[in-house]
Amino acid sequence: MDKYVLKINGTDRHVTASADESLLSVLRDRLDLTGTKYGCGEGECAACTVLLDGKPIHSCITPVSAAANKNVTTIEGLEKNGTLSPVQQAFVEEGAFQCGYCTSGMVLRATAFLRETPHPTEDQIVAYMDGNICRCGVYPRIIAAVQRASQSPAKAGGQ
Ligand code: FES
Ligand code: FES
């Protein structure tokens, strides 16, 4: 077991874990951040998406050692002082979920996308979100939510 410092949602968190333990396992089982979901566990579904230094990654196949001293953003870190992020708000307004299992991964991937591409076309949204699987098939509403978030006046200052 080794000791790591993870900068999670702006706060240093100290954990003791094996170097090859997944970031997902550390988040959920050691830090009780259960908003990040376990889907396939094999890097195929993206339910476990978090941002590592702003980039979306599959936390199920990312060892905790790769996240040491880096900024990790989870779904718990998007809301600020009781206000949902523009992407979260747009998902609510579009009803872009059914069971909700894919939602935190979708929201985080969309957040990273809109930081890079603030005014995307529908085709760009579809292409970027392609690897995130929704077993409930609410893709049209997810696309609509990303479009809505891209038009949000609250977008300035970060998604
Ligand atoms: S749980 Fe990580 S990609 Fe499916
Ligand atoms: S809302 Fe159920 S998997 Fe996407």
Side-chain angles (χ1 to χ4, degrees), residues 24 37-49 57-61 101 131 133:
L24 176 62
K37 299 305 182 198
Y38 182 102
C40 64
E42 298 178 350
E44 298 292 337
C45 74
C48 64
T49 299
I57 54 125
H58 296 156
S59 62
C60 70
I61 54 170
Y101 207 80
I133 292 172

Side-chain angles (χ1 to χ4, degrees), residues 72-87:
V72 178
T73 305
T74 72
I75 193 70
E76 290 89 350
L78 295 187
E79 163 267 326
K80 301 285 184 227
N81 301 318
T83 301
L84 296 178
S85 75
V87 174

Side-chain angles (χ1 to χ4, degrees), residues 84-159:
L84 296 178
S85 75
V87 174
Q88 289 177 306
Q89 185 65 34
F91 269 65
V92 171
E93 290 173 1
E94 292 291 342
F97 35 76
Q98 187 167 312
C99 75
Y101 207 80
C102 70
T103 308
S104 64
M106 292 284 186
V107 166
L108 283 158
R109 187 162 181 86
T111 297
F113 172 57
L114 291 176
R115 285 176 181 158
E116 286 176 13
T117 311
H119 304 292
T121 64
E122 182 172 333
D123 285 349
Q124 286 176 310
I125 296 170
V126 170
Y128 194 90
M129 301 298 293
D130 188 46
N132 284 56
I133 292 172
C134 173
R135 282 176 289 183
C136 300
V138 296
Y139 295 110
R141 284 184 268 157
I142 290 168
I143 294 165
V146 179
Q147 286 172 321
R148 178 184 281 265
S150 76
Q151 294 155 6
S152 167
K155 198 171 61 170
Q159 291 290 341

